[in-house]
Amino acid sequence: MLELLSPAKNLECGISAIDHGADAVYIGAEKFGARAQAGNSIEDIETLCNYAHQYGAKVYVTVNTVIYDGEMAETLELVRTLDKIGVDAILIQDMGLLKMLTGTLRMAIHASTQTDNRTIEKVRWLRDLGIKRVVLARELSINEIRTIHEAVPDVELEVFVHGALCVSYSGQCYASQHCFGRSANRGECAQICRMQFDMKDADGNMLESKKHLLSLKDMAQIDNLERLAEAGAVSFKIEGRLKDVAYVKNVTAAYSEQLNEICGRNPEKYQRAAMGRCTYTFKTDIRKSFNRGFTTYFANGRKQGIVNFLSPKSLGEEVGKVKKVEGMLSFIIATTTAFNNGDGLCFYNSRGELEGLRINRAEGNRLFPLHMPEGLKPGTTMYRNHDQAFEALLAKKSAERRIEVTMTMHVCRDTLTLTMTDERGNRHEATLPYDFQQAQKPQEENIRRQLTKLGGTPYVCKELEIEYAEDAQQPFIPNSVLGELRRCAINSHANQSTLNIQNTRTTQITQDTPPAYPLPYLYNASNEKAKQFYRELGVEAASFETDGGGGMLMQCRYCLRHELGYCSKYTKDLPWKEPLYISLSDGKTFRLRFNCAKCQMEVWAD
């Protein structure tokens, strides 16, 4: 089964994700999710579960912050409530919470990427604790994912395939807490990696000035989905719990189409995790949604070009080059792109800054901006980061998801039975008492019309067969009876679909002494239960948030030295004296350490 996992900022985004092809969605509750600004009520989450389960789709809730002692009881109550309302899994980071989840949960427990899952040893360790699924670090290559799957095949592997990239391994970034008292592990990241830095060497020589040295491009693995599936990934995750509904619709639909194409070519190997096929009112294009330029990151190994030093803002899609500037009124673009009034364009100006403009009027490829930017000249590459016509389509109902069913009606003299069988072979029926009446004229056309009225439901009838008992030929059946029979069959099928999902969920959390911890410990135990958990492993744990900290603030597979062309594997001659320092405009300074043995760049508090 291949699962497309989409983000949900709120209930609207969650339902839209399902409608546009998601097999599962992940959403935050009111507290304790790693996006503090994306909380949702229990009532909304329950509504989303009920909606998703009609399609066999699932709902995962993020409870993946580190937790303080005074919050543990409230967190446990939240988890138990989520289990009761039908949530399919929670994502966690805090081992103190795991230690408290004694007994059996119906829902599964997934290890959030914040638990820093980059090795075979760590994934095996999490499995031995009772974890069903592990969300792998974004930095892993396809070959590394394959190696982990082959070594630990009984763990589901979830991989990020689209969206924003953190420069540090997730869960191992303390820069925001160090600088501003806003913990990334508490969902309050200040996004330091998107800020401008100066970089100097040990002698104080300026190497880079006012550049976004840590701002990675956005991930786009849409062309690598089949390779990821072959490597053992089962869930393909779109990042974006702060993104709007238009983003969710477009990106979800694009990846869903790609997965359908893969499953269509390999029906013996792959099947979508949820039911239903989608139709859209728009043509998908991931370039039209927020993006900082795209990268496949480390999917195929280490490469340059994964960062955008110039801007952390959205580029959108490249639409052509400026052909002619006509005074301060208009300019012409050499392009085949069609423009609309209200489109938003951007370009890099002579200072290397991303500058935006709004199209007031479009006459073919001659564009009249609201304000003509100074310095715009022929040859400038233009990008469109707001497509007015595209956004207008997405603002309306833009998709419909329907499950194909076959229906069989059996008519007896005292009962009517309607059976529905969906595309997965799930079969459910409804029976009503019936007092046989002979029809005065043929009724089958009306019977078919009434039973196949499935508008407003997730279903569409592919085929209807009507069977008559030998003594019940030519019946007259009132439309009210046919409508009630249809509704009963639909409700039976929908209710059973939800039960089928719930019955597959049982998670037993082991309370045995956990296996030896496979990584050096780094500052993520912010409650006594978590510290006790690690003490049992012989590890003295602490929390950056509650116990203070310093030293290393980020671990990054991304490497500035490599990005600038001076990887130690290829050259020993450096044009600077190390260590290197990067600093923010307010003077906060960080020392870079290049741990070449681990192929890792570390950012240290200076």
Side-chain angles (χ1 to χ4, degrees), residues 16-34:
S16 292
I18 298 298
D19 286 345
H20 288 74
D23 300 295
V25 296
Y26 63 105
I27 189 170
E30 290 178 334
K31 293 183 179 179
F32 313 123

mmCIF file of all heavy atoms in Angstrom, residues 16-34:
data_model
loop_
_atom_site.group_PDB
_atom_site.id
_atom_site.type_symbol
_atom_site.label_atom_id
_atom_site.label_comp_id
_atom_site.label_asym_id
_atom_site.label_seq_id
_atom_site.Cartn_x
_atom_site.Cartn_y
_atom_site.Cartn_z
ATOM 1 N N SER A 16 -10.142 19.095 2.360
ATOM 2 C CA SER A 16 -9.671 19.364 0.996
ATOM 3 C C SER A 16 -8.572 18.390 0.598
ATOM 4 O O SER A 16 -8.506 17.947 -0.554
ATOM 5 C CB SER A 16 -9.163 20.805 0.888
ATOM 6 O OG SER A 16 -10.230 21.715 1.020
ATOM 7 N N ALA A 17 -7.694 18.052 1.530
ATOM 8 C CA ALA A 17 -6.641 17.081 1.237
ATOM 9 C C ALA A 17 -7.240 15.728 0.855
ATOM 10 O O ALA A 17 -6.815 15.099 -0.120
ATOM 11 C CB ALA A 17 -5.712 16.932 2.441
ATOM 12 N N ILE A 18 -8.242 15.276 1.609
ATOM 13 C CA ILE A 18 -8.914 14.012 1.281
ATOM 14 C C ILE A 18 -9.584 14.106 -0.081
ATOM 15 O O ILE A 18 -9.451 13.217 -0.932
ATOM 16 C CB ILE A 18 -9.939 13.650 2.367
ATOM 17 C CG1 ILE A 18 -9.258 13.443 3.726
ATOM 18 C CG2 ILE A 18 -10.720 12.394 1.962
ATOM 19 C CD1 ILE A 18 -8.265 12.328 3.789
ATOM 20 N N ASP A 19 -10.296 15.195 -0.321
ATOM 21 C CA ASP A 19 -11.000 15.371 -1.592
ATOM 22 C C ASP A 19 -10.048 15.366 -2.780
ATOM 23 O O ASP A 19 -10.432 14.981 -3.892
ATOM 24 C CB ASP A 19 -11.785 16.683 -1.593
ATOM 25 C CG ASP A 19 -13.027 16.631 -0.724
ATOM 26 O OD1 ASP A 19 -13.442 15.520 -0.343
ATOM 27 O OD2 ASP A 19 -13.577 17.712 -0.411
ATOM 28 N N HIS A 20 -8.823 15.820 -2.570
ATOM 29 C CA HIS A 20 -7.869 15.960 -3.670
ATOM 30 C C HIS A 20 -6.878 14.799 -3.761
ATOM 31 O O HIS A 20 -5.906 14.882 -4.511
ATOM 32 C CB HIS A 20 -7.136 17.297 -3.563
ATOM 33 C CG HIS A 20 -8.000 18.467 -3.898
ATOM 34 N ND1 HIS A 20 -8.985 18.928 -3.052
ATOM 35 C CD2 HIS A 20 -8.053 19.264 -4.998
ATOM 36 C CE1 HIS A 20 -9.602 19.955 -3.612
ATOM 37 N NE2 HIS A 20 -9.064 20.178 -4.791
ATOM 38 N N GLY A 21 -7.122 13.721 -2.995
ATOM 39 C CA GLY A 21 -6.361 12.512 -3.232
ATOM 40 C C GLY A 21 -5.487 12.006 -2.116
ATOM 41 O O GLY A 21 -4.778 11.006 -2.295
ATOM 42 N N ALA A 22 -5.503 12.630 -0.943
ATOM 43 C CA ALA A 22 -4.675 12.140 0.163
ATOM 44 C C ALA A 22 -5.220 10.819 0.686
ATOM 45 O O ALA A 22 -6.434 10.622 0.773
ATOM 46 C CB ALA A 22 -4.619 13.169 1.285
ATOM 47 N N ASP A 23 -4.316 9.932 1.053
ATOM 48 C CA ASP A 23 -4.687 8.682 1.721
ATOM 49 C C ASP A 23 -4.696 8.855 3.229
ATOM 50 O O ASP A 23 -5.222 8.008 3.954
ATOM 51 C CB ASP A 23 -3.703 7.573 1.356
ATOM 52 C CG ASP A 23 -3.665 7.297 -0.133
ATOM 53 O OD1 ASP A 23 -4.688 6.847 -0.672
ATOM 54 O OD2 ASP A 23 -2.621 7.553 -0.760
ATOM 55 N N ALA A 24 -4.068 9.917 3.703
ATOM 56 C CA ALA A 24 -4.035 10.230 5.128
ATOM 57 C C ALA A 24 -3.700 11.707 5.272
ATOM 58 O O ALA A 24 -3.129 12.318 4.366
ATOM 59 C CB ALA A 24 -2.999 9.374 5.861
ATOM 60 N N VAL A 25 -4.080 12.277 6.412
ATOM 61 C CA VAL A 25 -3.710 13.661 6.717
ATOM 62 C C VAL A 25 -3.130 13.703 8.119
ATOM 63 O O VAL A 25 -3.458 12.871 8.972
ATOM 64 C CB VAL A 25 -4.906 14.629 6.609
ATOM 65 C CG1 VAL A 25 -5.429 14.700 5.189
ATOM 66 C CG2 VAL A 25 -6.029 14.227 7.565
ATOM 67 N N TYR A 26 -2.266 14.679 8.364
ATOM 68 C CA TYR A 26 -1.765 14.891 9.720
ATOM 69 C C TYR A 26 -2.118 16.304 10.144
ATOM 70 O O TYR A 26 -2.064 17.242 9.359
ATOM 71 C CB TYR A 26 -0.265 14.619 9.828
ATOM 72 C CG TYR A 26 0.648 15.496 9.010
ATOM 73 C CD1 TYR A 26 1.406 16.506 9.609
ATOM 74 C CD2 TYR A 26 0.786 15.309 7.633
ATOM 75 C CE1 TYR A 26 2.262 17.299 8.857
ATOM 76 C CE2 TYR A 26 1.644 16.091 6.885
ATOM 77 C CZ TYR A 26 2.376 17.087 7.499
ATOM 78 O OH TYR A 26 3.222 17.877 6.763
ATOM 79 N N ILE A 27 -2.534 16.424 11.400
ATOM 80 C CA ILE A 27 -3.118 17.660 11.909
ATOM 81 C C ILE A 27 -2.708 17.827 13.360
ATOM 82 O O ILE A 27 -2.453 16.847 14.070
ATOM 83 C CB ILE A 27 -4.666 17.602 11.759
ATOM 84 C CG1 ILE A 27 -5.311 18.957 12.058
ATOM 85 C CG2 ILE A 27 -5.273 16.505 12.612
ATOM 86 C CD1 ILE A 27 -6.797 19.013 11.685
ATOM 87 N N GLY A 28 -2.648 19.070 13.816
ATOM 88 C CA GLY A 28 -2.307 19.337 15.201
ATOM 89 C C GLY A 28 -3.547 19.471 16.064
ATOM 90 O O GLY A 28 -4.590 19.941 15.611
ATOM 91 N N ALA A 29 -3.439 19.042 17.326
ATOM 92 C CA ALA A 29 -4.503 19.287 18.298
ATOM 93 C C ALA A 29 -4.295 20.680 18.890
ATOM 94 O O ALA A 29 -3.476 21.463 18.414
ATOM 95 C CB ALA A 29 -4.488 18.202 19.371
ATOM 96 N N GLU A 30 -5.049 20.989 19.949
ATOM 97 C CA GLU A 30 -4.976 22.339 20.504
ATOM 98 C C GLU A 30 -3.603 22.658 21.076
ATOM 99 O O GLU A 30 -3.183 23.809 21.102
ATOM 100 C CB GLU A 30 -6.056 22.507 21.581
ATOM 101 C CG GLU A 30 -7.466 22.540 20.991
ATOM 102 C CD GLU A 30 -8.538 22.652 22.059
ATOM 103 O OE1 GLU A 30 -8.283 22.222 23.207
ATOM 104 O OE2 GLU A 30 -9.641 23.146 21.751
ATOM 105 N N LYS A 31 -2.892 21.639 21.542
ATOM 106 C CA LYS A 31 -1.574 21.841 22.128
ATOM 107 C C LYS A 31 -0.655 20.692 21.745
ATOM 108 O O LYS A 31 -1.091 19.665 21.236
ATOM 109 C CB LYS A 31 -1.660 21.906 23.663
ATOM 110 C CG LYS A 31 -2.391 23.111 24.217
ATOM 111 C CD LYS A 31 -2.332 23.100 25.740
ATOM 112 C CE LYS A 31 -3.029 24.316 26.325
ATOM 113 N NZ LYS A 31 -2.988 24.299 27.809
ATOM 114 N N PHE A 32 0.640 20.912 21.998
ATOM 115 C CA PHE A 32 1.666 19.872 21.959
ATOM 116 C C PHE A 32 1.987 19.351 20.564
ATOM 117 O O PHE A 32 2.553 18.271 20.405
ATOM 118 C CB PHE A 32 1.296 18.688 22.876
ATOM 119 C CG PHE A 32 0.847 19.116 24.241
ATOM 120 C CD1 PHE A 32 -0.397 18.751 24.735
ATOM 121 C CD2 PHE A 32 1.665 19.913 25.025
ATOM 122 C CE1 PHE A 32 -0.820 19.157 25.994
ATOM 123 C CE2 PHE A 32 1.251 20.328 26.292
ATOM 124 C CZ PHE A 32 0.004 19.953 26.774
ATOM 125 N N GLY A 33 1.641 20.107 19.517
ATOM 126 C CA GLY A 33 2.073 19.788 18.167
ATOM 127 C C GLY A 33 3.230 20.691 17.793
ATOM 128 O O GLY A 33 3.373 21.803 18.312
ATOM 129 N N ALA A 34 4.084 20.254 16.872
ATOM 130 C CA ALA A 34 5.308 20.999 16.552
ATOM 131 C C ALA A 34 5.069 22.212 15.659
ATOM 132 O O ALA A 34 6.006 22.728 15.062
ATOM 133 C CB ALA A 34 6.327 20.062 15.907
#
